[in-house]
Amino acid sequence: MGHFDQLRQASRENFHRIWEAVKQGRALTPEEKRFADAMQAHPEYHNAWEFSDVVGPVPYEVEGVNPYLHITAHVMIENQLEAD
């Protein structure tokens, strides 16, 4: 597994960890909460979060959109708006 693949897998596992914490009602950091809120706001990606810890070639697109990139963009924009 190359460096980029390792980074992508770590990101997928982080999404999965946040998703599992939401389902179990565990406390989240403010940054995790921001990701969780964006993840929950997109039911079309919920299946992606369920299986995001799976190693290997999991589809990275849902209806032509990379859900991980989409949610990350949401959080980045929210952070920028909050910072003014």
Side-chain angles (χ1 to χ4, degrees):
M1 185 180 291
H3 179 70
F4 183 72
D5 290 331
Q6 289 174 335
L7 182 60
R8 182 170 34 196
Q9 184 61 37
S11 176
R12 286 171 30 189
E13 289 171 357
N14 193 45
F15 273 91
H16 185 75
R17 183 184 55 74
I18 292 169
W19 186 248
E20 288 298 312
V22 167
K23 291 190 324 184
Q24 295 169 7
R26 293 194 317 252
L28 300 169
T29 67
E31 185 73 4
E32 291 170 334
K33 175 81 168 95
R34 190 163 286 186
F35 271 91
D37 289 346
M39 292 165 74
Q40 289 177 303
H42 288 279
E44 69 274 23
Y45 302 150
H46 288 184
N47 197 47
W49 315 139
E50 286 291 329
F51 298 102
S52 55
D53 66 329
V54 175
V55 175
V58 175
Y60 288 102
E61 292 188 355
V62 176
E63 297 177 8
V65 176
N66 179 321
Y68 306 98
L69 183 58
H70 184 86
I71 297 304
T72 300
H74 265 274
V75 172
M76 289 173 58
I77 291 167
E78 288 176 19
N79 286 341
Q80 288 175 346
L81 290 172
E82 185 176 285
D84 194 30

